[in-house]
Amino acid sequence: CEKGGTSVDDPELSTVPIEFSLADFSAEVKGNALTSSTIADFGVFSLLENTTLGETTPFMENVEVSKSTSGNSTAWRSDPPYYWPLLPDKRLTFFAYAPYNGAENSSSIYYDGNDRQWKMDVKHNVPENPVQQVDLSVARNLEPKTINDAGEPVDLRFSHALSSVTFAANYKGTPAENCVLRVTGISLSNIVTSGTLTVDSTQEEGTPWFSWAIDESEKGMITMTTFNDALTKRYNVPERNSNNDNHLTLLATDINAYMIPQSVNSDIEGDVSGKSILSLTFSYFLLDSESAGGLKEIAQFSTQMLLPESEWGIASKIKYVFTIDLDNVWLADLKVLADGNIDVWEDSENSHQETIIK
């Protein structure tokens, strides 16, 4: 039999499919950040309110929606389509998340008896290599919609939900003769890599409508190995200048590492066990015309340092900069950029979120 609101033979349903449109949704970051033009699909939950009976029940439950290939080319719909309830006393409200990941993220919608409101949960795990992770965004439309609104797509405005974290380096000291310096590996340990994003139905002015719940015991290690493309000709870590402002960004120029928002080393003065640590591997490459690419790796070094106290806010871009001290094989001047240097995702419903790095 047909599922839920997808049966055209259901006498309680119209023959008008539910369609969606995306409000302008852009970002000041490159690559794998979601925008209204790069979202390929999203998951939708909807609630059906029967105003006559005073009952609310789920109507669409984690339904994949993608760009329609027929009819209105700018609209989005599910396949098979869901249809509008026929009677105007049946009202729908909507929650959504992107990108769609129905099987793995265990998304759900439920009624929270304590808060007396419906909520959507999206469980999220950061891959071991976060450069494989695309942006995660959520949306909702709580204005009740009925068959009388079926002539227009349901408008969704997505908000970014993760933190974008990157690193940049320069060096001081004396490199090996006829060699260039390159970072060949970065890892973060004791970082929260899983959490549950909850979107609620509160409509109070200025009140955050989604939040993260994280378990500090679920900390893990994140490894980053994708660095600037050779075409940028910026592989080589530069020597520190007198102003210490010439750091090389280490992740590829079209990649952002999307992480669970969290407080990093908020009590850094205490016991260092369990604290978040940056580990770095760097190598000397000998200029050698007979080797592939004209370079030959001749030595590799590793070092690590505690991350400074910092806040990974929702929809904030956090950038750590440091100097590789070649003579002592350690990291110097590891710091997080101040709030004036943060790129914050624009034009979404993130205005209520923190954008200042502490």
Side-chain angles (χ1 to χ4, degrees), residues 3 34 39-45 61-66 76 78-79 96-107 122 134-137 158:
K3 179 184 177 181
L34 290 179
I39 288 179
D41 53 20
F42 51 89
V44 170
F45 293 87
E61 297 190 68
N62 206 14
V63 175
E64 183 178 12
V65 171
S66 56
W76 300 67
S78 60
D79 184 16
Y97 71 93
Y100 178 74
N101 190 2
E104 296 182 10
N105 66 11
S106 303
S107 301
V122 180
V134 297
D135 194 2
L136 173 69
S137 300
F158 280 89

Side-chain angles (χ1 to χ4, degrees), residues 35-85:
T35 69
S36 53
S37 61
T38 62
I39 288 179
D41 53 20
F42 51 89
V44 170
F45 293 87
S46 66
L47 296 172
L48 173 64
E49 179 189 6
N50 186 322
T51 58
T52 299
L53 299 178
E55 296 177 345
T56 300
T57 55
F59 184 71
M60 301 173 71
E61 297 190 68
N62 206 14
V63 175
E64 183 178 12
V65 171
S66 56
K67 185 66 71 73
S68 174
T69 57
S70 62
N72 185 350
S73 61
T74 63
W76 300 67
R77 67 168 66 167
S78 60
D79 184 16
Y82 272 66
Y83 297 95
W84 284 97

Side-chain angles (χ1 to χ4, degrees), residues 177-204:
E177 187 176 356
N178 295 324
C179 288
V180 295
L181 178 70
R182 294 186 175 181
V183 171
T184 50
I186 296 178
S187 66
L188 299 175
S189 55
N190 297 320
I191 293 294
V192 177
T193 57
S194 63
T196 299
L197 178 64
T198 298
V199 180
D200 61 42
S201 51
T202 181
Q203 298 190 64
E204 296 180 21

